[in-house]
Amino acid sequence: MVKPIKKFQAGNIDAAIWNNEVEINGKNVNTKSISLRKSWKNGDEWKDSTIHLQANELQRAILVLQEAQKDVLMKNGNAKSILEEDVQL
């Protein structure tokens, strides 16, 4: 089983960095990708949802998440941090 080269977790959200080998113009090239997973419990069963991003998509994902966070916090009038759990880096 392939394992990520690094993992990060904050509560029920985790991210993993993966090393990928692809062939480009006849040469093997190493690239990195990121998986972002949310886990939750539905009754007695654990479920999760995962998205995969290429390294060049990561900054855009961060940008849209930050903009969504700003919008939610401004509309709710809540300037407190929404992170209530320990962040494991």
Side-chain angles (χ1 to χ4, degrees):
M1 179 181 218
V2 177
K3 294 191 178 206
I5 57 176
K6 199 160 195 176
K7 286 185 84 174
F8 306 94
Q9 183 175 351
N12 66 328
I13 306 290
D14 66 72
I17 301 171
W18 302 87
N19 197 29
N20 308 294
E21 189 173 298
V22 295
E23 187 176 322
I24 299 175
N25 296 328
K27 293 184 177 182
N28 289 336
V29 177
N30 286 321
T31 64
K32 292 193 172 43
S33 62
I34 297 92
S35 61
L36 183 64
R37 181 177 65 147
K38 176 184 177 182
S39 300
W40 67 94
K41 197 167 187 181
N42 185 6
D44 291 335
E45 184 179 358
W46 279 99
K47 303 208 174 225
D48 65 66
S49 179
T50 304
I51 63 167
H52 302 276
L53 301 167
Q54 297 301 315
N56 65 343
E57 298 171 315
L58 187 56
Q59 191 59 45
R60 289 179 289 196
I62 292 168
L63 177 64
V64 297
L65 287 168
Q66 286 174 328
E67 291 301 314
Q69 180 186 32
K70 281 194 279 187
D71 190 70
V72 168
L73 292 178
M74 295 296 258
K75 287 187 177 170
N76 289 339
N78 181 3
K80 290 182 183 178
S81 172
I82 59 172
L83 253 187
E84 297 175 358
E85 295 138 323
D86 292 336
V87 176
Q88 301 172 10
L89 300 176

